[in-house]
């Protein structure tokens, strides 16, 4: 029974129609009105025919599905079989009214449940579908804007600066400067030469590029997020699997007990002449027992609760590969963070200026004047640090690909602005006092003498401190930062954020060993970005990828993808996970407790078939409505 419901409510695309329900309800109302108010109303077999007509629109689909489940899947103990037996039995003991009402209410309940499931699915899909809508297709000497999903493998596309690549392809242009921060977490722009692979999610930086599509839209990096979400119901949490196993055992037991309700009194009547056995009475009680004992409230509401929880997380900007990871997230006792792009912005800011025989103002004036012609992240950081009035006059600016820029000053002095590698390539000596010491830096040389070094550092994200603090408030006290950056840089960042455990100069293998050590005693979530974090994500209990648009490797490795780059969403994800689990427990206790109470009333003769179906459908709908609370749960935000 659990499997059947999982299939029906987890993957069904078409919603149950209300038309058969309206037709059956209309005929049933007509019969009831005729019986009570019209003296000429037909009786006997004519009325039975009307009952059958009322039953067919809502009953035949259930009978057919029960037969298909029995014939194709050899599943007798399912909800459709239970309803079929109950209605046929009701017809046999002249309870046609209740037989039709049973199917009518059952189908109405199915309709309302399907509406709830589709509402959740639409909510998730709407949030998850972050794909670009259009691309520029090259046709001859012109470009034509077309929907991205219509682009075919082999099509030539043009991508203008600031535009995100929508499909994976190969570069046709001689070179490209790309922002790959969403893919790798690195803030440095990267160059690509003709023939290089261009991943969907890359942002073109300086000049238009042409690519040839190598993968269809459905297989592109961007499309994988939506596909991941739509397949999420395949990975079921332990609680849901337990409920399904429970239903497979519980249902045949209930059928056996219902059979005993009929047979035990008959056997007793054979042994005791004073006991009067009425078959129809005990069959009626058995049918009531069958209907109310149906575990559909659990089988429907538990997966729906997890699905609703995933809908809530998607509205908070988190996409889960399965409800399994939503359940797993609440168990996390340790969270490990990468540094760059995760707790830091991945965007540079000027940290300090080192000079020799030149003032820092003059040095920044030369550097900012030259860097105004560059789109490099470090150049942009320097420009943010200075004003137009501070810049010197320069001319004849030329780019040295991948290294920096050259220019001529107002007095004819030759300027070099770029990396330490550029200075060494030019044969210039970098004084020890101006050496970047491995830090990110832009150097200035005037007339073949290195005069200044601007040291830049990554900015800490404004949400990082609150993320660490609120994770501790949630009871997660083992918080670690692992980074390949220099230990002194990592420790300084950790101190500012509020982390006690931070380790630097780590290679991917070192990160894996550190996480393995933590996993001995804790359930670990790893939060990172970029291709180099994929191995650690795979091995941790829960892998969380920063960046709503990730590389193929990151999407494959991560269990959860954060849309955007806000680490506080980890806190929100844990809150939603815990709230969802709370609702699951509420539904289990409520459904089982209520059903056992009515089952006892049925055995004592105080519950009718109509009351049983109302109770069964009512419990199911209440559980479904309670499940939907997970969809609308709003986790704490930083503004609160």
């Amino acid at each position: 029974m659990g499997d059947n419901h999982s299939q029906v409510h987890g993957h069904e695309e078409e919603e149950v129609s209300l038309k058969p329900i309206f037709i059956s309800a209309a005929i049933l109302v007509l019969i009831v009105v005729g019986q009570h108010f019209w003296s000429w109303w037909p009786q006997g077999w004519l009325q039975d025919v009307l009952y059958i007509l009322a039953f067919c629109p809502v009953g035949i689909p259930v009978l057919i599905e029960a037969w298909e489940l029995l014939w194709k899947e050899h599943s007798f103990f399912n909800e459709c079989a239970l309803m079929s037996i109950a209605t046929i039995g009701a017809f046999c003991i002249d309870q046609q009214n209740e037989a039709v009402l049973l199917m009518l209410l059952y189908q109405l309940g199915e309709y309302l449940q399907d509406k709830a499931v589709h509402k959740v699915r639409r909510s998730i899909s709407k949030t998850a579908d972050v794909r670009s809508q259009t691309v520029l297709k090259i046709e001859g000497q012109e470009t034509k804007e077309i929907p991205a999903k219509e682009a075919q493998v082999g099509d030539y596309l043009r991508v203008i600066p600031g535009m995100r690549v929508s499909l994976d392809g190969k570069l046709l242009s001689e070179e490209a400067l790309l922002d790959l921060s969403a893919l790798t977490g690195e803030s440095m722009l990267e160059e690509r030469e003709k023939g290089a692979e261009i991943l969907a999610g890359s942002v073109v930086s300086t000049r238009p590029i042409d690519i040839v599509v190598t993968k269809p839209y459905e297989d592109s990096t961007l499309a994988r997020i939506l596909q991941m979400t739509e397949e999420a119901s395949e990975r079921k949490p332990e609680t849901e699997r337990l409920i399904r196993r429970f239903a497979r055992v519980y249902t045949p037991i209930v059928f056996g007990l219902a059979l005993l309700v009929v047979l035990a009194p008959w056997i007793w009547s054979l042994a005791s002449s004073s006991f009067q056995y009425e078959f129809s009475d005990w069959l009626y009680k058995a049918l009531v027992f069958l209907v109310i004992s149906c575990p559909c409230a659990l089988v429907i509401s538990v997966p729906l609760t997890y699905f609703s929880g995933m809908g809530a997380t998607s509205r908070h900007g988190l996409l889960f590969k399965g409800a399994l990871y939503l359940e797993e997230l609440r168990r996390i006792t340790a969270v490990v963070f990468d540094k760059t792009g995760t707790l830091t912005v991945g965007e540079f800011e000027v940290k300090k200026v080192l000079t020799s025989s030149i003032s820092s103002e003059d040095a920044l004036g030369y550097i900012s004047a030259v860097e105004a012609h560059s789109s490099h992240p470090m150049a942009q950081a320097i420009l943010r640090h200075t004003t137009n009035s501070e810049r010197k006059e320069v001319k004849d600016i030329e780019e040295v690909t991948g290294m920096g820029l050259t220019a001529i000053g107002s007095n004819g002095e030759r300027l070099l602005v770029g990396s330490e590698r550029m200075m060494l390539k030019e044969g210039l000596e970098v004084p020890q006092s101006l050496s970047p010491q491995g830090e990110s830096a832009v150097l200035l040389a005037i007339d073949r003498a290195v005069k200044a070094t601007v040291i830049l550092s990554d900015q800490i994200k404004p949400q990082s401190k609150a993320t660490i603090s609120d994770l501790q408030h949630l009871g997660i006290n083992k918080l670690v930062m692992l980074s390949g950056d220099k230990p002194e840089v990592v420790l300084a960042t950790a101190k500012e954020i509020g982390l006690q455990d931070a380790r630097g100069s780590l290679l991917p293998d070192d990160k894996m060993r550190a996480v393995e050590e933590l996993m001995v005693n804790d359930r670990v979530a790893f939060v990172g970005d970029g291709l180099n974090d994929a191995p650690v994500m795979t091995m941790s209990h829960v892998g969380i990828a920063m960046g709503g648009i990730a590389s193929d490797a990151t999407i494959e490795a991560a269990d959860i993808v954060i849309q955007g780059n806000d680490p506080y969403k980890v806190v929100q994800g844990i809150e939603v996970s815990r709230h969802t689990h709370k609702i699951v427990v509420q539904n289990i206790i409520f459904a089982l407790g209520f059903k056992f109470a009515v089952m006892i009333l049925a055995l004592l003769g105080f519950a009718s078939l109509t009351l049983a179906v109302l109770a069964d459908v009512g419990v199911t709908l209440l559980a479904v409505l309670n499940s939907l609370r997970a969809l609308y749960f709003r986790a704490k935000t930083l503004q609160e």
Side-chain angles (χ1 to χ4, degrees):
M1 180 182 294
D3 293 333
N4 177 42
H5 257 294
S6 176
Q7 292 163 0
V8 171
H9 295 285
H11 302 284
E12 186 176 324
E13 294 298 332
E14 296 182 5
E15 295 186 25
V16 174
S17 173
L18 270 178
K19 189 180 293 183
I21 297 173
F22 280 133
I23 293 172
S24 288
I27 298 174
L28 184 60
V29 169
L30 183 64
I31 294 171
V32 173
V33 171
Q35 285 177 333
H36 290 84
F37 299 103
W38 299 331
S39 58
W40 51 267
W41 189 256
Q43 301 295 321
W45 66 270
L46 285 174
Q47 183 166 276
D48 289 340
V49 170
L50 289 173
Y51 273 122
I52 292 173
L53 288 174
F55 174 82
C56 285
V58 290
I60 287 181
V62 180
L63 294 175
I64 292 173
E65 189 170 353
W67 172 254
E68 289 178 347
L69 287 169
L70 177 61
W71 181 257
K72 295 179 181 179
E73 301 182 21
H74 308 292
S75 171
F76 176 76
F77 299 109
N78 60 74
E79 185 180 5
C80 293
L82 184 151
M83 291 297 162
S84 300
I85 291 171
T87 51
I88 292 170
F91 268 109
C92 290
I93 58 175
D94 292 327
Q95 296 291 335
Q96 297 94 330
N97 243 345
E98 300 203 46
V100 176
L101 187 61
L102 174 70
M103 280 299 185
L104 188 62
L105 291 173
Y106 170 71
Q107 289 285 37
L108 180 61
E110 289 291 292
Y111 171 78
L112 295 174
Q113 293 152 20
D114 274 11
K115 290 287 285 184
V117 171
H118 281 275
K119 182 179 180 65
V120 174
R121 288 178 67 85
R122 284 193 296 269
S123 174
I124 293 176
S125 295
K126 182 179 179 182
T127 307
D129 197 350
V130 297
R131 298 176 287 189
S132 300
Q133 299 301 312
T134 60
V135 293
L136 298 176
K137 181 180 178 181
I138 300 173
E139 295 183 347
Q141 300 298 316
E142 299 180 352
T143 60
K144 178 183 177 182
E145 189 172 356
I146 64 170
K149 62 183 179 182
E150 292 183 8
Q152 304 294 319
V153 173
D155 282 352
Y156 294 94
L157 305 180
R158 179 158 295 159
V159 191
I160 61 177
M163 188 175 178
R164 194 177 297 279
V165 179
S166 299
L167 297 94
D168 295 343
K170 283 193 175 181
L171 182 63
L172 298 175
S173 303
E174 291 300 321
E175 60 181 21
L177 194 60
L178 302 173
D179 177 1
L180 302 180
S181 58
L183 300 177
T184 66
E186 295 297 327
S187 54
M188 302 284 288
L189 294 180
E190 294 195 21
E191 290 186 355
R192 293 288 184 270
E193 296 181 351
K194 187 174 182 178
E197 182 182 14
I198 304 296
L199 292 177
S202 306
V203 177
V204 176
S205 181
T206 55
R207 59 182 70 89
I209 65 168
D210 295 341
I211 67 170
V212 58
V213 178
T214 56
K215 288 183 183 178
Y217 183 65
E218 292 75 16
D219 294 338
S220 70
T221 304
L222 291 169
R224 297 289 296 280
I225 296 174
L226 183 59
Q227 177 188 350
M228 176 192 75
T229 305
E230 290 181 341
E231 293 176 350
S233 59
E234 299 297 329
R235 297 180 174 88
K236 302 181 183 301
E238 184 61 29
T239 307
E240 184 177 340
R241 292 199 295 268
L242 285 172
I243 291 297
R244 293 172 68 196
R245 289 199 293 268
F246 167 78
R248 284 197 290 267
V249 175
Y250 169 86
T251 307
I253 290 175
V254 165
F255 269 94
L257 290 175
L259 190 62
L260 280 177
V261 171
V262 177
L263 295 179
W266 174 66
I267 295 171
W268 179 252
S269 69
L270 295 178
S272 175
S273 57
S274 61
F275 181 77
Q276 295 297 315
Y277 176 73
E278 186 66 40
F279 172 75
S280 61
D281 289 346
W282 288 103
L283 177 61
Y284 186 81
K285 289 179 180 180
L287 295 176
V288 173
F289 186 84
L290 271 182
V291 172
I292 191 58
S293 62
C294 175
C296 57
L298 292 179
V299 177
I300 294 170
S301 68
V302 170
L304 181 60
T305 302
Y306 284 114
F307 210 48
S308 296
M310 288 171 60
T313 57
S314 70
R315 287 191 297 105
H316 285 82
L318 296 108
L319 302 178
F320 282 70
K321 277 190 177 179
L324 167 65
Y325 306 111
L326 181 64
E327 173 70 9
E328 186 66 34
L329 193 58
R330 74 174 182 86
R331 298 193 180 109
I332 291 302
T333 57
V335 180
V336 178
F337 293 93
D338 177 43
K339 182 180 77 71
T340 305
T342 303
L343 293 174
T344 62
V345 175
E347 185 176 283
F348 292 105
E349 63 179 353
V350 174
K351 184 178 178 182
K352 58 184 175 181
V353 181
L354 306 175
T355 61
S356 174
S357 66
I358 189 175
S359 69
S360 58
E361 290 79 9
D362 287 342
L364 285 172
Y366 279 118
I367 294 173
S368 62
V370 176
E371 293 286 37
H373 299 267
S374 172
S375 59
H376 195 284
M378 287 197 288
Q380 297 304 309
I382 292 172
L383 294 177
R384 288 193 298 271
H385 187 75
T386 58
T387 62
N388 290 332
S389 61
E390 294 174 322
R391 294 171 192 167
K392 303 283 189 179
E393 291 185 11
V394 295
K395 61 182 179 179
D396 298 339
I397 297 168
E398 294 182 6
E399 181 180 358
V400 180
T401 304
M403 294 188 184
L405 299 145
T406 65
I408 302 297
S410 58
N411 296 320
E413 63 272 35
R414 185 168 184 266
L415 307 175
L416 298 180
V417 174
S419 64
E420 185 177 22
R421 187 161 61 97
M422 179 185 185
M423 303 301 161
L424 297 176
K425 185 179 179 181
E426 289 286 328
L428 306 183
E429 181 182 351
V430 180
Q432 184 67 27
S433 60
L434 300 181
S435 174
Q437 300 294 324
E439 294 187 85
S440 300
V442 174
L443 281 71
L444 167 68
I446 303 176
D447 290 334
R448 301 194 59 77
V450 178
K451 296 290 186 179
T453 299
V454 178
I455 305 293
L456 299 107
S457 63
D458 199 354
Q459 302 178 51
I460 294 173
K461 290 182 180 178
Q463 310 95 335
S464 294
K465 194 169 184 179
T467 299
I468 300 304
S469 175
D470 284 6
L471 283 174
Q472 291 170 337
H473 289 153
L474 289 174
I476 303 174
N477 294 313
K478 194 162 287 187
L479 302 170
V480 183
M481 183 168 68
L482 305 178
S483 176
D485 209 341
K486 294 180 179 296
E488 54 270 24
V489 175
V490 174
L491 290 173
T493 302
K495 183 178 180 181
E496 187 171 345
I497 292 173
L499 272 170
Q500 302 301 316
D501 191 349
R503 310 167 199 179
S505 296
L506 300 180
L507 297 174
D509 287 350
D510 300 322
K511 289 184 178 182
M512 291 180 69
R513 281 191 288 272
V515 170
E516 277 179 344
E517 292 173 6
L518 288 170
M519 290 174 68
V520 173
N521 299 311
D522 290 281
R523 301 197 71 80
V524 179
F526 181 86
V527 189
D529 68 312
L531 302 174
N532 62 328
D533 292 326
V536 197
M537 284 186 185
T538 302
M539 67 173 293
S540 59
H541 293 108
V542 177
I544 305 174
M546 299 295 297
I549 305 167
S551 66
D552 282 347
T554 304
I555 290 175
E556 290 297 330
D559 306 312
I560 304 167
V561 175
I562 293 176
Q563 290 182 296
N565 293 294
D566 182 358
Y568 196 77
K569 293 189 183 298
V570 177
V571 177
Q572 294 177 324
I574 293 173
E575 287 185 349
V576 174
S577 173
R578 292 181 179 181
H579 180 75
T580 301
H581 178 73
K582 187 187 300 182
I583 292 176
V584 167
V585 173
Q586 289 172 356
N587 280 344
I588 292 173
I589 294 173
F590 169 68
L592 289 180
F594 191 90
K595 282 181 176 292
F596 282 135
V598 179
M599 284 164 68
I600 293 171
L601 291 176
L603 293 176
L604 297 176
F606 295 116
S608 66
L609 191 58
T610 302
L611 176 61
V613 70
L614 284 171
D616 176 56
V617 173
V619 168
T620 301
L621 291 181
L622 286 173
V624 165
L625 289 174
N626 193 41
S627 298
L628 291 178
R629 289 175 52 230
L631 176 63
Y632 297 105
F633 176 72
R634 183 171 173 269
K636 178 185 176 183
T637 63
L638 287 178
Q639 288 72 39
E640 295 176 352

